[in-house]
Amino acid sequence: MESPVTVAALYRFAVIADCAVLRDALDALCRAQGIRGTLLIAREGINGTIAGSAEGIARVVDFIRAQPDCAETDVKYSSASDMPFYRMKVRIKREIVTMGEPDIDPRASVGTYVAPQDWNALIAAPDTIVIDTRNDYEVAAGTFERAIDPQTASFREFPEWFRRERERLLGEGKAPRVAMFCTGGIRCEKSTAFLKAEGVEEVYHLKGGILKYLEEVPQEQSLWHGECFVFDERVTVGHGLVQGSHVLCRACRRPVSADGQGHALYEEGVSCADCYHERTDEQRASARERDRQEKLARARGTSHIGAVLSTN
């Protein structure tokens, strides 16, 4: 029986002196170790999710942690029964998580970290505002009790949403505590730094993100409802980081629940109820043919490179 695939979600805010040199070195190492996934490199740091053998992943993580100011790179491990990525990509970006606020630096100011074991008490307190910083399609798959959904299509929309809703959220007088969370923690590094720059004093975020919470907090004690969307072919994970019940709509990249898979407008590889009316008959026909080719490739035991999830 083959060993399960090791999956590592990692990030680190650090000054990267030469992004191109680091990109080339990481690309070569990952390919030599049979690693797949996506790594994003920017002047502000590194972010991504990769998968492969336990030994190969360990070598890549060790290499990253050997870089200047990267010894404490945050890494969350899980496993998958099958390789959850089609290929390996190492890309240089302007930001490792795109917020579009150039003056925000999580290395200079960031919210207070809260361990998964202490998170329930914080978000259950009536004077705490809980904000889910993820995108709308992620929130639809699952979220924490009492969490506010900004209904953003991308993280870049978060600053505008907060500035628009600030008065309604915080009111007048002494501002309430604000607790924020995201998948693995990286978006909260920027969102908490942003709120502090906006003058909000008591800002907290879940250390290690939802993934660490689902790994460490027993289900019977959990305030999490649903599943957590992940940016790979597992689509979602649940408590204990076991693969969830959602599938990915290949047309719109949204997660589709078990109930959604039974909807009349859902067609595997072609459309879901959310995107059916966003596509033309011609587009659905093209997607149907692509799905047929992918299934033929799998049946022959060959790879058909499909669309790959981003790590935004």
Side-chain angles (χ1 to χ4, degrees), residues 7-307:
V7 182
L10 59 92
Y11 75 87
R12 176 67 176 174
F13 283 98
V15 176
I16 305 298
D18 194 325
C19 294
V21 169
L22 182 57
R23 175 198 60 196
D24 294 346
L26 276 172
D27 185 71
L29 177 59
C30 288
R31 294 182 188 283
Q33 296 297 321
I35 303 299
R36 296 182 188 177
T38 299
L39 291 172
L40 305 179
I41 301 170
R43 294 279 299 180
E44 67 178 7
I46 184 169
N47 171 37
T49 304
I50 53 177
S53 68
E55 180 182 358
I57 292 294
R59 290 190 178 184
V60 175
V61 170
D62 287 346
F63 177 82
I64 291 173
R65 285 179 167 162
Q67 304 307 305
D69 196 29
C70 289
E72 297 183 12
T73 295
D74 184 279
V75 185
K76 286 167 288 298
Y77 296 98
S78 57
S79 62
S81 56
D82 299 301
M83 170 56 73
F85 295 104
Y86 289 113
R87 52 191 170 186
M88 186 66 223
K89 298 185 295 181
V90 186
R91 292 181 172 175
I92 296 174
K93 295 284 190 176
R94 187 180 299 275
E95 298 178 70
I96 57 173
V97 57
T98 303
M99 189 184 213
E101 294 285 328
D103 295 329
I104 297 301
D105 183 0
R107 294 169 300 150
S109 177
V110 73
T112 301
Y113 295 104
V114 179
Q117 294 77 13
D118 300 322
W119 183 248
N120 285 358
L122 174 65
I123 68 172
D127 60 344
T128 300
I129 290 177
V130 187
I131 301 176
D132 193 330
T133 67
R134 300 171 304 150
N135 301 331
D136 50 9
Y137 61 89
E138 299 173 78
V139 180
T143 192
F144 281 107
E145 285 184 15
R146 300 185 62 240
I148 295 170
D149 175 11
Q151 298 183 326
T152 51
S154 73
F155 189 50
R156 184 184 287 274
E157 298 176 4
F158 183 84
E160 180 184 355
W161 171 82
F162 178 78
R163 288 170 176 144
R164 184 177 65 247
E165 300 292 329
R166 176 176 181 150
E167 184 175 345
R168 181 182 66 83
L169 292 169
L170 304 184
E172 299 180 356
K174 185 181 184 299
R177 295 178 297 186
V178 178
M180 295 189 285
F181 62 93
C182 58
T183 308
I186 185 171
R187 278 178 278 192
C188 286
E189 300 277 0
K190 282 198 171 181
S191 61
T192 58
F194 168 74
L195 258 66
K196 289 179 75 69
E198 292 288 302
V200 183
E201 296 181 1
E202 284 198 83
V203 186
Y204 302 84
H205 56 128
L206 177 58
K207 185 172 178 58
I210 301 163
L211 295 179
K212 183 58 71 174
Y213 182 93
L214 293 178
E215 178 185 358
E216 296 188 354
V217 176
Q219 185 168 356
E220 59 272 16
Q221 299 174 17
S222 177
L223 295 182
W224 174 264
H225 298 290
E227 297 173 354
C228 178
F229 181 82
V230 290
F231 293 91
D232 60 58
E233 289 298 313
R234 293 172 298 172
V235 186
T236 58
V237 296
H239 287 89
L241 300 183
V242 298
Q243 186 166 334
S245 60
H246 288 69
V247 298
L248 192 70
C249 175
R250 300 293 168 179
C252 67
R253 321 306 297 161
R254 297 181 180 108
V256 184
S257 67
D259 288 341
Q261 293 166 49
H263 196 283
L265 296 181
Y266 174 73
E267 182 179 350
E268 182 184 357
V270 178
S271 67
C272 68
D274 287 331
C275 75
Y276 182 88
H277 296 292
E278 299 172 355
R279 301 290 189 273
T280 65
D281 289 341
E282 291 77 9
Q283 287 173 319
R284 284 191 290 273
S286 177
R288 197 171 288 116
E289 175 59 22
R290 182 179 181 82
D291 184 62
R292 188 183 74 83
Q293 292 293 336
E294 289 177 350
K295 289 176 178 176
L296 285 173
R298 286 196 295 271
R300 292 193 297 264
T302 59
S303 60
H304 181 90
I305 299 300

